[in-house]
Amino acid sequence: DADVTQTPRNRITKTGKRIMLECSQTKGHDRMYWYRQDPGLGLRLIYYSFDVKDINKGEISDGYSVSRQAQAKFSLSLESAIPNQTALYFCATSDFKMDEQFFGPGTRLTVL
Amino acid sequence: GIQVEQSPPDLILQEGANSTLRCNFSDSVNNLQWFHQNPWGQLINLFYIPSGTKQNGRLSATTVATERYSLLYISSSQTTDSGVYFCAGVTDKLIFGTGTRLQVFP
């Protein structure tokens, strides 16, 4: 089984809808991250969490919110989706002792 | 803030050729990671390399932190090497470069 899983893998939604992307990990890492990738670009950080009680905004947090339900689960919400949030979304994890990050398979989100 | 630049932006090779990808970063980073994003979009960890040289099969990487650059070497390229190669500087989060798109033809 994959160490970092994301659901759903693909989602098409309409403008104004609320949508949640979920991430789970079995690596035992305490740190989790959400990134977004637009076509032809690198990844940009949306939110990150160093433990269950710690949530931090990243480079592009506007329009997004997160919830760290447990050490192993970190969800990303779009309260009212808009077309320019169409992108590939990645979850990642790392350990506080060693900051190498490991990525999930990605969620391809299309907002019509 | 830290900026990460990669070159070349695009690279086209015939199978069997060797290549060198470069990553420059603007300030000190704690560590540096190299990733391969395959044509299906998955990000695969290649190297976690704050300094020195590491090798994994046909791939190797060298980071010279004092001179703020890292190199990724691909030898005897194969069509399965196609995709985008990203480097990312590690501070308390990853700062990604814009990638090198590699196409390997038979």
Side-chain angles (χ1 to χ4, degrees), chain A residues 9 31 33 35 37 40-45 48 50 58 88 90 98-105 108, chain B residues 30-31 33 35 37 39-43 45 47-48 54 86 90-99 101:
Chain A
R9 295 291 312 279
R31 299 182 174 188
Y33 309 79
Y35 293 87
Q37 184 181 28
L41 299 178
L43 279 69
R44 292 182 294 166
L45 183 64
Y48 61 105
F50 283 178
L88 185 55
F90 287 99
M98 184 171 168
D99 49 17
E100 181 178 8
Q101 291 192 22
F102 298 86
F103 284 79
R108 196 170 297 277
Chain B
N30 298 334
N31 284 303
Q33 287 189 247
F35 298 91
Q37 187 169 36
W40 296 270
Q42 290 183 311
L43 276 170
N45 287 41
F47 294 102
Y48 173 71
K54 290 186 177 180
F86 288 104
V90 183
T91 55
D92 55 348
K93 44 191 176 287
L94 287 180
I95 308 297
F96 278 80
T98 53
R101 182 173 299 276

Side-chain angles (χ1 to χ4, degrees), chain A residues 39-70:
Chain A
L41 299 178
L43 279 69
R44 292 182 294 166
L45 183 64
I46 306 172
Y47 270 95
Y48 61 105
S49 170
F50 283 178
D51 64 42
V52 174
K53 296 181 181 179
D54 176 76
I55 302 288
N56 303 282
K57 292 183 178 181
E59 182 186 356
I60 52 164
S61 59
D62 288 349
Y64 301 95
S65 62
V66 292
S67 173
R68 185 81 183 266
Q69 300 95 323

